[in-house]
Amino acid sequence: MVIKIRPEKREEYKKLHASIWPEVLDLLKKANIGNISIYYKDDTLFEYLEYSGADFEADISILMANPVYKKWLKVCDACQQPLDTRKKGEWWAKMEEVFHCD
Amino acid sequence: MVIKIRPEKREEYKKLHASIWPEVLDLLKKANIGNISIYYKDDTLFEYLEYSGADFEADISILMANPVYKKWLKVCDACQQPLDTRKKGEWWAKMEEVFHCD
C-alpha cells in the first residue's frame, strides 16, 4: 500500500510509530496481521504486511470498529495525504503485486 | 526499495516477472534472499525482500558477479528509471524503515 506524508507531519508520524501504542499492536495481532513494515522516502510511505487469518473482511471489520484503533488511525491519518489516484473507498492506495516468490 | 518504471516498458516488465527465469530464482535463493514482492502503482515500483543469511555483502557480491543474473538485471534495468533522489551507488533507492513489528 502507498500514501503520501504531509511534510510538516513527517517527524510526528515517525515518532508515533517509534512508540506505537501497545493496544494497537495487540489489536493488529488479534486481527491476524503481522510482519508489518512501513518505509519512507521522498514524502512517500510504503506499507507491507501479511495476513495469516481465514476471514480478512471479518478481522478488518472488528479492528476498524475498535475505539482505540479508531483513535490511532485518526492521529495517523492527520499526517497523511492520500494519492489522487487511489481507488474509491481507499485511504492507503493498494498496489498491484507484479512479482512474488517465497 | 523504490524505483520508477518507464511507462512504455510497463507491460514488458510485468511479463518478465510473470515468467522469471528459473536460474534467477535459484540464484536469489542461494543468496539467502526470500519472500520477495514487487508492487506497482502509478509507474512506481516498490520491492520488499527478506535476507536470511549471515553475510549480506558477500552473498550480494556473488549474486552480482553471476553472468545470468547480470543479464537479468540488464533487461530489468532497461525498464526502470531510477529516482533522482537516490543515494550514490544506488539503482533502486533504499527507503527508511519507520516501523516494523513481527
Side-chain angles (χ1 to χ4, degrees), chain A residues 2 13-14 17-18 20 25 34-42 44-46 48 50 83 85-87 93-102, chain B residues 2 13-14 17-18 20 25 34-42 44-46 48 50 83 85-87 93-102:
Chain A
V2 58
Y13 189 81
K14 288 183 185 178
H17 284 80
I20 190 169
L25 289 179
N35 200 12
I36 308 169
S37 297
I38 300 177
Y39 299 97
Y40 167 85
K41 172 97 184 165
D42 299 343
T44 299
L45 296 169
F46 168 59
Y48 173 89
E50 293 176 2
L83 300 192
T85 56
R86 73 192 185 279
K87 291 197 182 142
K94 283 206 187 82
M95 301 184 77
E96 177 190 347
E97 186 181 277
V98 297
F99 178 69
H100 178 76
C101 90
D102 290 324
Chain B
V2 57
Y13 189 81
K14 288 184 186 179
H17 285 80
I20 189 169
L25 289 180
N35 200 13
I36 308 169
S37 297
I38 300 177
Y39 299 96
Y40 167 85
K41 172 98 184 164
D42 299 344
T44 299
L45 296 169
F46 283 106
Y48 173 89
E50 294 176 0
L83 299 193
T85 56
R86 72 193 186 279
K87 291 196 181 144
K94 284 208 187 79
M95 301 183 77
E96 177 190 347
E97 185 181 277
V98 296
F99 178 68
H100 179 77
C101 89
D102 291 323

Side-chain angles (χ1 to χ4, degrees), chain B residues 6-18:
Chain B
R6 295 182 187 276
E8 73 280 13
K9 297 278 195 174
R10 194 193 300 133
E11 294 314 310
E12 183 183 334
Y13 189 81
K14 288 184 186 179
K15 275 181 198 160
L16 273 168
H17 285 80

Side-chain angles (χ1 to χ4, degrees), chain A residues 61-91:
Chain A
S61 293
I62 293 165
L63 180 66
M64 291 298 182
N66 182 283
V68 173
Y69 197 73
K70 278 186 184 173
K71 208 170 159 185
W72 170 254
L73 282 191
K74 201 174 169 185
V75 293
C76 291
D77 289 0
C79 301
Q80 298 165 338
Q81 177 65 53
L83 300 192
D84 294 338
T85 56
R86 73 192 185 279
K87 291 197 182 142
K88 204 180 162 185
E90 288 184 342
W91 180 255

Side-chain angles (χ1 to χ4, degrees), chain B:
Chain B
M1 300 187 291
V2 57
I3 204 161
K4 303 295 283 184
I5 194 158
R6 295 182 187 276
E8 73 280 13
K9 297 278 195 174
R10 194 193 300 133
E11 294 314 310
E12 183 183 334
Y13 189 81
K14 288 184 186 179
K15 275 181 198 160
L16 273 168
H17 285 80
S19 53
I20 189 169
W21 307 348
E23 302 97 312
V24 170
L25 289 180
D26 285 345
L27 289 165
L28 289 166
K29 204 174 171 183
K30 276 179 195 150
N32 298 304
I33 295 170
N35 200 13
I36 308 169
S37 297
I38 300 177
Y39 299 96
Y40 167 85
K41 172 98 184 164
D42 299 344
D43 292 328
T44 299
L45 296 169
F46 283 106
E47 182 169 21
Y48 173 89
L49 57 81
E50 294 176 0
Y51 175 72
S52 59
D55 189 342
F56 183 71
E57 297 302 326
D59 281 331
I60 290 293
S61 294
I62 294 165
L63 180 66
M64 292 298 181
N66 182 283
V68 174
Y69 198 72
K70 277 185 185 173
K71 209 170 159 186
W72 170 254
L73 281 191
K74 202 174 169 185
V75 293
C76 291
D77 289 359
C79 300
Q80 298 165 338
Q81 176 65 53
L83 299 193
D84 294 337
T85 56
R86 72 193 186 279
K87 291 196 181 144
K88 204 179 162 184
E90 287 184 342
W91 180 254
W92 285 81
K94 284 208 187 79
M95 301 183 77
E96 177 190 347
E97 185 181 277
V98 296
F99 178 68
H100 179 77
C101 89
D102 291 323

